[in-house]
Amino acid sequence: MLTENHSIQIERFIQETFPEVYIVDLFWKEGSTPQIILRVDRDGGIDMGTCTTISRKLKFWLSEQELIEDNYRLEVSSPGVGVPLKLQRQYANNIGRTLSVTLINGSTTEGKLNQVAEDHIALAQQSTVKKKKNDLPEPDLILPFDQIKEAKVIIVF
């Protein structure tokens, strides 16, 4: 089982070994073969090769430290599409992409992420009205972080 102390030690190991990487999620998932699931990212995005390197080094370090006695499986990956954004840092990686944002009041909106500030994001509003050549663009919708319940990247084809 992954205790809070284990999580702290794993986070410290990741930060010291891979300073450009930040942890989005770290949790233990029960099952016939329990799993340690680690979701990582870095500014500009993370690739499969980096996740593989982190996995190998972390697995070796966990074995060396003898932190977890039970058999387990280790899964290291990026948060992936469809997984809600959890950290403000993740928003910056997604500027230019379309987000679906649910606010704490229950309302939902979609729009292209144009800006990330310290306390809010700015979404380009998607108008359903056909625009004329000389129409001014709609102003961005400003959404404070403290009002966002969940935000997900929407893949547009």
Side-chain angles (χ1 to χ4, degrees), residues 107-124:
S107 65
T108 302
T109 189
E110 287 184 12
K112 184 175 131 190
L113 180 61
N114 280 341
Q115 179 192 28
V116 180
E118 188 174 312
D119 61 346
H120 70 271
I121 61 172
L123 291 183

Side-chain angles (χ1 to χ4, degrees), residues 18-24 40-51 54 78-79 89-90 93:
F18 304 95
E20 74 283 3
V21 170
Y22 58 92
I23 295 174
V24 175
V40 292
D41 209 345
R42 69 175 167 204
D43 297 333
I46 196 159
D47 58 51
M48 182 80 117
T50 303
C51 290
I54 292 169
S78 69
R89 226 171 146 173
Q90 291 178 278
N93 283 342

Side-chain angles (χ1 to χ4, degrees), residues 79-111:
V81 175
V83 176
L85 303 176
K86 290 190 166 193
L87 305 174
Q88 184 175 346
R89 226 171 146 173
Q90 291 178 278
Y91 286 85
N93 283 342
N94 289 290
I95 290 176
R97 290 188 169 160
T98 301
L99 297 185
S100 172
V101 180
T102 303
L103 301 176
I104 58 174
N105 69 8
S107 65
T108 302
T109 189
E110 287 184 12

